[in-house]
Amino acid sequence: MRDLYITNSLSRTKELFTPLNPGHVGLYVCGPTVYGDAHLGHARPAITYDVLVRLLRQIGYKVRYVRNITDVGHLEHDADEGEDKIAKKARLEQLEPMEVVQEYTERYHEAMRELNVAPPSIEPRASGHIIEQIRLVKTILEAGYAYESNGSIYFDVEKYNKDHHYGVLSGRNLEDTVEGTRSLDGQSDKKAPFDFALWKKASPEHIMHWPSPWSEGFPGWHLECSAMSEKYLGAEFDIHGGGMDLMFPHHECEIAQNVASRGKEGVRYWMHNNMITINGKKMGKSLGNFITLSDLFSGNNSVLSQAYSPMTIRFFILQAHYRSTLDFSNEALQAASKGLAKVLGAARDLKAMAAGKQAGVASEKVQELYDKAYDALCDDLNTPIALGYIFEAVKLINSAKAGSLKLQDADLALLERMFSEILFGVLGLKDEGASDGKSAEVISGLMDMILEERQEAKANKDWTKSDKIRNSLTSLGITVKDTKDGVEWSL
């Protein structure tokens, strides 16, 4: 089993990952809030933790991957006041709230299938765990770290901070939190503005509510993850993932709830992916640069110059390290599309060359590429470096195809394994143009015939015929590129 190193947000250092139970990993990831269509911002965490799960399983671990669905009680990230967005849409469109939840959950799942994101082991919904959340509130109250106010229950941050450190994950102290807290309507119920809701008494117009010992109401936003992670992964588990924007206050509040109720932080390794910006700006509806995944796949958005395939989006995201900011632009996606086409074209060529070849001892160069690609992935999920080694393999394949390099049978077998395990396995890419294997084989064969005829025309200095073939292919959406290693083509 290979060693895996991950950057733990709690210690801010890269650490050797050691699971609680040998051979088994418990992973919890904050999933989507389903009050709108899945957008570009949803794609990055989904793909990041999909790669993590695939890698863990590839190197020999059994993984229980829990990704929640927030379908109730979700308020603004910086407030405990306001109307639940699901309830608001249900009221405006005269629907049952769960109709809204079901519609958007299905859209999210469809977008994830398009991106080849495997489903989690368990996908709990907040609304299905009200009993567990009420039980957790009772435990925190009994421990003395919460108080009741007019039917609502709030976490007493100041009291907790006297016994523990509120801010251990984000590196903040309570004074910073006070300075950064703005006044909000309805906060007179709280002892302090930084206290957060564990349970909220429902107003008369709030249509999603449940009975509790304190009021007819609904759970606070931070509560669900503490309750559901403990239910499915235990009081302490291995990895908790989510977007960097959730580090504070959401994950900070989770830690406080965990310590108050369990006496321990509950999570051994925290992983946070960074955001996607658009032309250097954070994505947002108010900025007019909000892009849904369905927009990307169809090209139906004024920000887009064309449609982009799901695998182009996945490849684009994998080109940057998960902890770095990733800036979206049409130029960046077009470059990703070309890069993906180059890799997939080489994968097809490799499959044809390696058919029936027997594995043996590969050359030092190919073995090095295979090992280094795995090493990069095990070094804090460094997908761009791993892709770099795959592109090195692409050069070898193109040279072999052009006849300028002789690859041994063992080299071809190991390269095919590299592509199968890493490109199509851990990185989760797939050849969207090769769903019908026979069709792809026929197209590849026809292209070989056409390009061979073009090469003969060039050899005979029949430039008119050579250009005509190239222009005809271009009009069909097929790009032909002459390189020092031969001719490359892509759709």
Side-chain angles (χ1 to χ4, degrees):
M1 188 176 290
R2 295 172 182 265
D3 288 338
L4 171 64
Y5 291 84
I6 59 176
T7 296
N8 188 351
S9 299
L10 196 60
S11 65
R12 296 163 182 78
T13 59
K14 193 182 293 182
E15 300 179 19
L16 173 63
F17 172 70
T18 54
L20 280 166
N21 299 312
H24 293 76
V25 177
L27 168 67
Y28 186 93
V29 173
C30 289
T33 302
V34 289
Y35 56 77
D37 282 332
H39 53 75
L40 188 58
H42 285 131
R44 193 170 198 190
I47 290 170
T48 295
Y49 300 108
D50 183 57
V51 170
L52 175 62
V53 171
R54 289 170 180 265
L55 176 61
L56 286 167
R57 288 174 175 160
Q58 182 65 45
I59 63 179
Y61 288 104
K62 292 183 178 179
V63 183
R64 176 175 289 177
Y65 174 22
V66 181
R67 184 185 67 202
N68 73 301
I69 293 286
T70 301
D71 62 349
V72 64
H74 178 268
L75 308 176
E76 295 296 333
H77 286 200
D78 60 352
D80 289 317
E81 311 299 328
E83 183 176 6
D84 186 300
K85 293 178 180 177
I86 296 165
K88 181 178 181 180
K89 181 175 177 64
R91 177 174 53 79
L92 291 174
E93 299 189 13
Q94 297 184 324
L95 298 170
E96 279 292 325
M98 287 306 160
E99 287 183 90
V100 178
V101 168
Q102 188 65 23
E103 176 188 354
Y104 285 127
T105 300
E106 285 303 313
R107 291 189 193 180
Y108 174 78
H109 286 158
E110 178 56 34
M112 294 304 104
R113 283 190 288 270
E114 293 277 0
L115 291 169
N116 201 29
V117 171
S121 312
I122 304 172
E123 192 173 52
R125 295 187 181 189
S127 63
H129 297 77
I130 300 298
I131 292 173
E132 289 85 355
Q133 293 178 78
I134 289 175
R135 186 183 300 129
L136 180 56
V137 175
K138 288 180 180 178
T139 303
I140 296 173
L141 274 169
E142 291 168 1
Y145 291 112
Y147 58 90
E148 181 179 357
S149 179
N150 295 325
S152 294
I153 307 296
Y154 293 98
F155 192 94
D156 193 331
V157 173
E158 189 169 15
K159 184 173 182 180
Y160 173 84
N161 193 60
K162 289 178 181 178
D163 300 331
H164 310 281
H165 178 199
Y166 180 77
V168 65
L169 180 63
S170 61
R172 301 189 184 199
N173 56 48
L174 199 56
E175 290 72 23
D176 295 334
T177 305
V178 172
E179 291 173 3
T181 304
R182 59 189 178 87
S183 298
L184 296 162
D185 293 338
Q187 285 198 335
S188 57
D189 286 350
K190 299 180 181 182
K191 289 181 180 179
F194 42 71
D195 292 346
F196 57 91
L198 298 175
W199 185 265
K200 286 290 294 179
K201 181 180 180 180
S203 59
E205 66 272 11
H206 199 104
I207 58 177
M208 297 183 78
H209 49 80
W210 291 263
S212 79
W214 317 286
S215 65
E216 189 79 14
F218 53 93
W221 172 40
H222 311 302
L223 197 67
E224 62 184 88
C225 290
S226 287
M228 293 189 290
S229 63
E230 183 175 17
K231 179 179 177 65
Y232 295 108
L233 296 175
E236 187 175 20
F237 58 93
D238 296 302
I239 304 172
H240 194 318
M244 200 168 285
D245 58 322
L246 298 179
M247 184 182 290
F248 185 89
H250 186 51
H251 291 160
E252 199 73 76
C253 293
E254 273 192 65
I255 289 177
Q257 291 167 163
N258 295 348
V259 172
S261 61
R262 310 175 200 172
K264 58 181 70 176
E265 292 173 0
V267 178
R268 302 185 71 221
Y269 301 89
W270 288 88
M271 293 182 69
H272 290 92
N273 64 276
N274 215 322
M275 69 177 72
I276 292 180
T277 58
I278 298 181
N279 295 318
K281 296 180 180 179
K282 186 176 179 179
M283 185 175 68
K285 290 183 178 179
S286 61
L287 297 174
N289 62 358
F290 186 82
I291 306 176
T292 66
L293 290 173
S294 59
D295 287 345
L296 281 163
F297 302 157
S298 67
N300 186 26
N301 189 300
S302 60
V303 174
L304 304 172
S305 61
Q306 65 182 75
Y308 298 100
S309 74
M311 285 303 99
T312 297
I313 303 302
R314 187 172 181 115
F315 188 79
F316 165 69
I317 288 172
L318 293 173
Q319 285 181 305
H321 191 272
Y322 76 92
R323 289 190 294 108
S324 65
T325 302
L326 177 59
D327 191 51
F328 164 92
S329 67
N330 281 285
E331 293 75 17
L333 277 198
Q334 287 162 8
S337 179
K338 291 177 181 177
L340 176 62
K342 187 173 183 178
V343 171
L344 294 179
R348 295 187 204 109
D349 292 336
L350 174 63
K351 188 173 183 179
M353 286 188 281
K357 303 293 183 181
Q358 297 297 314
V361 179
S363 64
E364 186 177 333
K365 174 65 175 176
V366 174
Q367 186 66 54
E368 182 182 28
L369 291 178
Y370 175 85
D371 290 336
K372 284 188 172 181
Y374 261 120
D375 290 343
L377 289 170
C378 290
D379 183 11
D380 200 21
L381 243 62
N382 204 324
T383 56
I385 297 298
L387 282 172
Y389 290 118
I390 287 173
F391 273 105
E392 288 293 317
V394 168
K395 291 180 182 178
L396 296 181
I397 295 164
N398 290 339
S399 295
K401 182 182 178 183
S404 59
L405 175 69
K406 176 67 175 178
L407 289 172
Q408 304 171 30
D409 288 358
D411 289 334
L412 293 172
L414 186 57
L415 285 169
E416 189 173 33
R417 184 178 168 191
M418 179 181 180
F419 275 60
S420 174
E421 291 180 4
I422 298 176
L423 184 73
F424 299 122
V426 177
L427 298 180
L429 292 162
K430 61 181 182 180
D431 193 341
E432 293 164 307
S435 57
D436 182 342
K438 188 62 179 177
S439 297
E441 185 180 334
V442 170
I443 292 171
S444 181
L446 289 171
M447 283 301 302
D448 287 343
M449 291 170 57
I450 294 168
L451 293 176
E452 184 178 341
E453 186 174 349
R454 178 172 174 267
Q455 286 299 102
E456 288 179 2
K458 289 178 68 177
N460 296 328
K461 297 185 178 181
D462 187 348
W463 309 119
T464 301
K465 183 177 181 180
S466 171
D467 291 343
K468 182 179 180 181
I469 292 173
R470 180 172 187 153
N471 293 337
S472 297
L473 292 172
T474 300
S475 68
L476 293 171
I478 299 172
T479 301
V480 176
K481 184 179 180 181
D482 294 305
T483 71
K484 63 180 181 180
D485 296 324
V487 183
E488 299 174 1
W489 66 272
S490 62
L491 290 171

